[in-house]
Structures are given as C-alpha cells and as structure tokens.
Amino acid sequence: MDKDKFFTWLVVKQHNAPNSIRNARLRYDILFKWLGRRRLNAKNAEKFIFYLRQKKVYTGRKRNQYQELRNSSLNSYVRVINLIDIFERENGHDYNLMRHISYFPKEAVVPVIFTFEELQALLNTWVPYVAHPTLFPNATPETMNRNMKLLLWTIIATGCRFEEGAQLTRERVHLGINGGDVLFTKTKNGDDRQVPIPPTLAEALREHLKDHKPVDFCFQSAAGHKICEQIFNKDLKIRADQAGLTKRAHAHAFRHSYIMEHIRRGTDVITIAHLVGHKDLTTTMNYTKYNWDDLLRGAENHPFFSMTLPPEKILDKIQDSIDKWPIKNDRRFSRTVTRKDNKILVEVSINEGV
C-alpha cells in the first residue's frame, strides 16, 4: 500500500490530530516490519495481534521486570489495522482485515497517584545529560535539565496532558506580578483552556523564557524542537530511580495526581473539569472512587477492621461523626462537645423560641 497516501488520508479525511498521526506511524512501522515479505491480509493480521499478545515488554532499567502489553496498547494496533482496512476499501480493495480480530475489552486500571513529597523529589533530581557541542551547540546539560524540569513542573502544576504542555509556545504564557496563567490550545476536546499557575513557577518561566520568541516552544529538545513523549518518559524513569520511587512514572500520572489532589482538598467537580478540560463531568467523577482517604475511612467501619484500631482512633471517628450531625448549623439547637480524659461528652438542647 502507499504509505504517504494513507497518512495524508488520515489527516485530510479522518481529521486525526498530530499526536494520533505520530502514534499511528509508530504502530504502522512495527506492523510492516513484522510482516516483512508477507502480505497484509486477514490471516496475517490475526497472527500479528497474536504475536503482540504473547510479547513481553521491558518496564524499567533497575526494576528488571517484563510485562505483557496492556489491552489499550493492543487496541492501538487494532485501530491502525482497521484504518488501513477502511482506506483500502475506499480505494477499491476490500481485504476485510478485521475478519478474525476485534478490539480488546477496556481494562479498569488504577491510576498512579503521586504525593506532594514524591512530586517534589522528582523536581529536585538532576539528570546527567551528556553535552554534544558539535551536533547541538546550545544544548548543555544545564539547559536540557531546565527544559525537562520546567515541562514536568508545568504538567504537575496545571494537570495538563503531555501534548498540551509540550506544544506550549511563549505567546501562550501570560506572566504577571503575582503569578500568571497558560493557554492550552489544540486540546483533545478541541477547546482552548486557560489555567492559572503558581507564582513560583511563573517566576521560573519568566527567567527561562526571556530570550524566547513568541512562536518558540517553551520547552525544547536538544535540537531545538518540541520534546517528544518518549524522551520525556525516559527522563522521568531516570528521575524516579534517582529519587528512590517505585511507582511507575509516566507523563499522564501527573494529570491523575493533579485531579486527585483537588478532590482531596474539596474542590468542586465542575471547577476541576474546567481546569483539566473534561467535557463530560462523569470523567472527573470517576476519580472520586480512587480517593484513598474516603476508602480507608469506609473500610475502618467494618468490625473486623475497627476492632484492631486503637481506642483513641475510634473516639476520633465518633467525634468526626458528631461533627456531621444535621444540627451543626441549625439555630434551633445548641450543641456542646467536650473531649477530656478519653471521654467525649455531648450535650444537645432545643433553643426555645427559635
């Protein structure tokens, strides 16, 4: 098949975003490398997906672990095969490539959540980049670390998707005296999104961007281009190893962490959805089931759990429940709660005439 025509069709007819095109190219090349001299037909498409299902991938330098491809990764290959099938059919060749294969069921994966201390540890690490003065005269170890760190910091502080942060240009960063904001464009849902940034990040960006032109990428690779996700994730793995973290560090984990931190601190769901660019509130609400504090409090109510807790903690839980009584803000009642010598004394009375 004609590769150039296929990817032109993806852009012009299917309206695929640049990141989707880039991922499709990677899958396309792996598929045809595996095919070699074999023809792409329904039977070989089935064999290719079976090969991927049996394949194990390396998950870390120091962890020395291998795992099977997740269903989401397998589906990305199925999607490319399906697109090739549609493209060929529109050009008069019906190969029915999907005859023996279908999309794998979506897996319910618990998102990786980083604590504030873990995020700080990642930001405080130093990656020993090697300078290449001949190939990249402007890319010193210092500049590369600064670019990677500031991109990581921006993703952590705004909850943006990796691609939104990577394609951020100087003209989209608005810096004021006490902070600023960034404008994310070409987002996944097609809407531009303006997100505030903390003053400390704004100050670091002001120094970093002082020589950037309006159309320059804020965070650049050694060659002066936009940083790609594969390079960024490699950098993250090194930072995580140096920081002694065992959680799987990848770009999207910081979006999960941003949302969960807001949920823990009581930010309303509509505000969170606006900050991260969720069109459907259900997407944001899905994160509430991963609120560990709520899950732990619920688990502690079971007698097999509560019987193992220190008595003082049971009193804490009782006092918390008292604070949630519906009379707390009701002027018709007076309530006094006193805790002394491992006792909780509660007095409730009705206010006459109210």
Side-chain angles (χ1 to χ4, degrees), residues 23-61:
N23 290 331
R25 282 187 184 277
L26 291 172
R27 272 64 177 174
Y28 180 99
D29 290 340
I30 291 171
L31 167 63
F32 278 89
K33 182 179 179 181
W34 178 88
L35 281 171
R37 294 179 177 274
R38 289 172 287 192
R39 294 184 60 186
L40 179 58
N41 52 36
K43 197 65 178 176
N44 283 332
E46 179 187 28
K47 289 180 179 179
F48 174 68
I49 297 300
F50 181 75
Y51 154 76
L52 292 177
R53 175 80 281 183
Q54 306 303 312
K55 182 180 178 181
K56 292 184 181 292
V57 293
Y58 192 41
T59 58
R61 295 185 307 127

Side-chain angles (χ1 to χ4, degrees), residues 18 21 31 33 45 81 89 103 136 157 193 212 251 260 267 298 329 344:
I21 295 293
L31 167 63
K33 182 179 179 181
I81 293 172
R89 192 176 301 120
Y103 287 97
F136 310 116
R193 186 172 81 258
H212 281 56
M260 282 302 302
T267 307
N329 297 312
I344 297 179

Side-chain angles (χ1 to χ4, degrees), residues 19 29 31 71 151 155 193 232 248 252 284 297 301 324 327 333:
N19 196 43
D29 290 340
L31 167 63
N71 285 2
L151 174 54
I155 294 173
R193 186 172 81 258
F232 181 76
R248 179 174 171 259
H252 212 66
T284 315
R297 281 194 293 269
N301 289 332
K324 294 176 182 178
I327 64 172
F333 296 89

Side-chain angles (χ1 to χ4, degrees), residues 259-318:
I259 295 171
M260 282 302 302
E261 191 62 39
H262 273 292
I263 289 174
R264 289 190 185 115
R265 293 177 179 272
T267 307
D268 67 272
V269 175
I270 294 177
T271 300
I272 299 173
H274 283 309
L275 286 170
V276 299
H278 285 162
K279 272 193 171 181
D280 187 352
L281 285 180
T282 305
T283 306
T284 315
M285 288 294 294
N286 281 336
Y287 284 89
T288 59
K289 64 186 178 184
Y290 300 116
N291 189 342
W292 179 253
D293 293 337
D294 288 344
L295 291 174
L296 181 59
R297 281 194 293 269
E300 288 175 346
N301 289 332
H302 193 281
F304 278 106
F305 203 135
S306 61
M307 290 293 291
T308 65
L309 296 176
E312 294 78 14
K313 188 160 188 179
I314 298 295
L315 284 182
D316 290 340
K317 292 174 71 66
I318 293 172

Side-chain angles (χ1 to χ4, degrees), residues 9-211:
W9 173 80
L10 284 183
V11 174
V12 177
K13 192 74 176 287
Q14 296 293 312
H15 305 152
N16 278 211
N19 196 43
S20 297
I21 295 293
R22 183 162 48 252
N23 290 331
R25 282 187 184 277
L26 291 172
R27 272 64 177 174
Y28 180 99
D29 290 340
I30 291 171
L31 167 63
F32 278 89
K33 182 179 179 181
W34 178 88
L35 281 171
R37 294 179 177 274
R38 289 172 287 192
R39 294 184 60 186
L40 179 58
N41 52 36
K43 197 65 178 176
N44 283 332
E46 179 187 28
K47 289 180 179 179
F48 174 68
I49 297 300
F50 181 75
Y51 154 76
L52 292 177
R53 175 80 281 183
Q54 306 303 312
K55 182 180 178 181
K56 292 184 181 292
V57 293
Y58 192 41
T59 58
R61 295 185 307 127
K62 292 186 177 180
R63 299 176 182 86
N64 195 27
Q65 295 176 345
Y66 290 82
Q67 66 180 23
E68 294 178 350
L69 288 174
R70 291 192 293 270
N71 285 2
S72 57
S73 297
L74 292 168
N75 283 336
S76 67
Y77 289 96
V78 175
R79 175 181 176 272
V80 170
I81 293 172
N82 189 36
L83 287 169
I84 292 173
D85 201 28
I86 297 170
F87 171 76
E88 293 289 10
R89 192 176 301 120
E90 289 189 6
N91 285 277
H93 308 291
D94 191 358
Y95 296 129
N96 198 8
L97 299 178
M98 300 290 290
R99 186 189 313 160
H100 303 304
I101 59 177
S102 61
Y103 287 97
F104 289 82
K106 189 174 182 181
E107 298 169 321
V109 180
V110 178
V112 176
I113 308 295
F114 287 98
T115 65
F116 176 78
E117 292 74 20
E118 290 168 337
L119 295 175
Q120 286 290 101
L122 285 171
L123 288 173
N124 290 334
T125 55
W126 172 270
V127 178
Y129 285 98
V130 179
H132 295 282
T134 304
L135 293 176
F136 310 116
N138 297 322
T140 64
E142 290 77 14
T143 59
M144 285 306 301
N145 266 282
R146 186 171 67 248
N147 272 282
M148 288 294 188
K149 176 182 175 178
L150 286 174
L151 174 54
L152 173 59
W153 195 353
T154 300
I155 294 173
I156 288 173
T158 64
C160 68
R161 301 175 181 90
F162 171 80
E163 191 65 21
E164 294 170 348
Q167 68 183 7
L168 195 64
T169 56
R170 174 63 186 90
E171 61 188 344
R172 304 299 183 193
V173 179
H174 315 127
L175 302 174
I177 297 175
N178 295 313
D181 62 79
V182 292
L183 179 64
F184 296 117
T185 59
K186 300 179 182 178
T187 62
K188 184 178 180 180
N189 62 21
D191 295 336
D192 292 351
R193 186 172 81 258
Q194 198 164 3
V195 182
I197 57 175
T200 49
L201 175 57
E203 188 59 36
L205 287 174
R206 181 179 288 107
E207 177 65 23
H208 174 66
L209 299 173
K210 61 183 179 182
D211 296 324

